[in-house]
Amino acid sequence: MTGAPVIVAARRTPIGTAGHALAGCTAADLAAAVIADLAGSLGDVPLREVVLGNCMGPGGDVARVAALQAGLPVTVPGLTVDRQCGSGLAAIVLAVAQLRAGETGAVLAGGVESASTAPWRMWPPRGDAAPVRYERAPFAPADVGDPDMGPAAELVAREAGIDRVAQDAYAARSHARAVATQQAGGFAAELVPVAGLDADERPRATLTVERLGRLRSAFEPGGAVTVGNSCGINDGAAAVTVVDAGTHRELGVPGLRVLATATAGVDPRRPGLGIVAAARQALDRAGLGLDDVDVVEFNEAFAGQVLACCAELELDPERVCREGGALALGHPWGASGAVLAVRLFSQLVRGGAGRTGLAAIAVGGGQGVAMVVETC
């Protein structure tokens, strides 16, 4: 694995609640802030490309727009990818593949989402009917199964036997961990302030199990999934600098060697389980088991979904997102997979929390993306 690409820097914006502190920032605004910060530390390393994931932005090539807005030379191309919630991590997977294939230098890769400024989307009119606004494009064909993420999370949790109490307890723990990390300055080194915001907006010290228990079911009558044990709707960007092995040797800086990546498909009716399939594949390719992993970062879209994945993997939930996850920090869709990579970098490289890390995220439509790294 000594020839594998290496992540040598990782940064993100604070994550804002949609309609609040970052509401005036477009996707390009958010991404440009992170890109400019990472590009400023490259020195003489040639920058080959910018790859960004995005789900709900203005369309076109957001990566190219953000790269130019960040002041990069016009000679640096940009590529925007869409694997829905997995887009940010998928962008990093593409960067790693590009460098494995023989490219040299650096690729900036990550993701961005501005739910606040996402354009309205309309199906064109049929006959005399008016155009119909829709919240999301299809994740899968209707006859295969195309549930909204909330009802899908209810199904996954119910089938795994994860009750409301367990989901609320997990959500409360995520907030408590994020607040503790925030208060200890544990996020400070990874943050690029934007629009006057220098801290994540969502973590709440007062979000206890008791308070969560008073919330109503969000998606099904009598269901266990609520707005309290689900992620928020958020704005933010995150990216990493990936270099080839030779460039890393020349730089001589600490980083995260990418041991393996994986992208998997699962039942579209149970999209949250994409974490399981992708994590297993990535670990197998890295020649590791979960017991060999020091830091585990799963995207916490829903507490019940994460707990169901942990049960399937026979993984102690206490090991997941030890500094708080998306339930507390937020889930800026296209950026969230890249946020996981930033969190691994902070804990393993900056914080010395161990040697190996696993990041994994589930995707609407029944997919999962995962990455295994080690310090070097």
Side-chain angles (χ1 to χ4, degrees):
M1 293 294 184
T2 55
V6 177
I7 296 171
V8 295
R11 302 276 278 181
R12 67 178 179 90
T13 68
I15 298 172
T17 299
H20 290 261
L22 300 180
C25 298
T26 66
D29 293 335
L30 297 171
V34 177
I35 290 169
D37 183 271
L38 291 174
S41 63
L42 283 174
D44 295 330
V45 178
L47 176 56
R48 301 304 185 186
E49 183 145 37
V50 174
V51 186
L52 289 179
N54 180 252
C55 296
M56 300 293 289
D61 192 346
V62 176
R64 175 64 169 170
V65 176
L68 293 173
Q69 188 171 324
L72 299 189
V74 297
T75 52
V76 178
L79 171 67
T80 302
V81 300
D82 180 359
R83 203 184 289 276
Q84 292 297 291
C85 293
S87 298
L89 192 53
I92 297 172
V93 170
L94 287 175
V96 169
Q98 185 174 346
L99 293 164
R100 282 188 190 276
E103 184 68 270
T104 58
V107 178
L108 303 186
V112 61
E113 204 70 58
S114 173
S116 294
T117 65
W120 287 10
R121 297 161 190 265
M122 303 284 186
W123 294 118
R126 295 184 177 181
D128 295 330
V132 177
R133 184 186 176 194
Y134 63 94
E135 297 295 330
R136 65 167 177 86
F139 292 138
D143 59 347
V144 175
D146 185 29
D148 285 337
M149 298 302 284
E154 284 278 14
L155 175 64
V156 165
R158 184 166 59 248
E159 290 181 340
I162 311 297
D163 64 18
R164 169 72 182 270
V165 173
Q167 293 180 51
D168 286 349
Y170 184 95
R173 185 170 71 223
S174 183
H175 278 267
R177 288 176 168 183
V179 169
T181 304
Q182 197 173 57
Q183 291 176 345
F187 298 128
E190 68 192 37
L191 293 178
V192 178
V194 179
L197 184 67
D198 60 4
D200 300 305
E201 280 192 294
R202 183 173 164 83
R204 294 289 181 269
T206 58
L207 206 61
T208 62
V209 173
E210 291 72 26
R211 292 191 68 177
L212 287 169
R214 301 186 194 121
L215 299 176
R216 295 180 179 179
S217 303
F219 304 106
E220 295 181 2
V225 179
T226 71
V227 295
N229 57 40
S230 306
C231 63
I233 298 175
N234 302 95
D235 305 325
V240 301
T241 303
V242 191
V243 299
D244 64 283
T247 297
H248 177 247
R249 286 192 293 271
E250 293 174 5
L251 289 173
V253 297
L256 293 179
R257 181 178 292 114
V258 181
L259 297 180
T261 64
T263 305
V266 298
D267 183 353
R269 295 168 298 176
R270 298 166 177 80
L273 296 178
I275 283 176
V276 176
R280 282 175 172 163
Q281 288 185 23
L283 288 167
D284 184 62
R285 291 172 184 174
L288 300 175
L290 278 168
D291 290 342
D292 302 312
V293 176
D294 298 307
V295 178
V296 178
E297 287 289 319
F298 290 168
N299 186 60
E300 296 175 343
F302 300 91
Q305 169 235 343
V306 175
L307 290 169
C309 289
C310 288
E312 185 74 16
L313 291 166
E314 297 182 346
L315 171 67
D316 184 353
E318 290 282 347
R319 296 180 57 195
V320 178
C321 299
R322 292 184 301 195
E323 295 187 342
L327 286 167
L329 299 176
H331 180 11
W333 306 305
S336 293
V339 171
L340 300 178
V342 173
R343 296 273 52 250
L344 287 182
F345 193 91
S346 284
Q347 292 170 82
L348 291 168
V349 178
R350 296 187 181 107
R355 178 176 173 80
T356 57
L358 167 67
I361 186 167
V363 181
Q367 299 184 86
V369 188
M371 177 175 69
V372 180
V373 298
E374 69 174 3
T375 55
C376 59

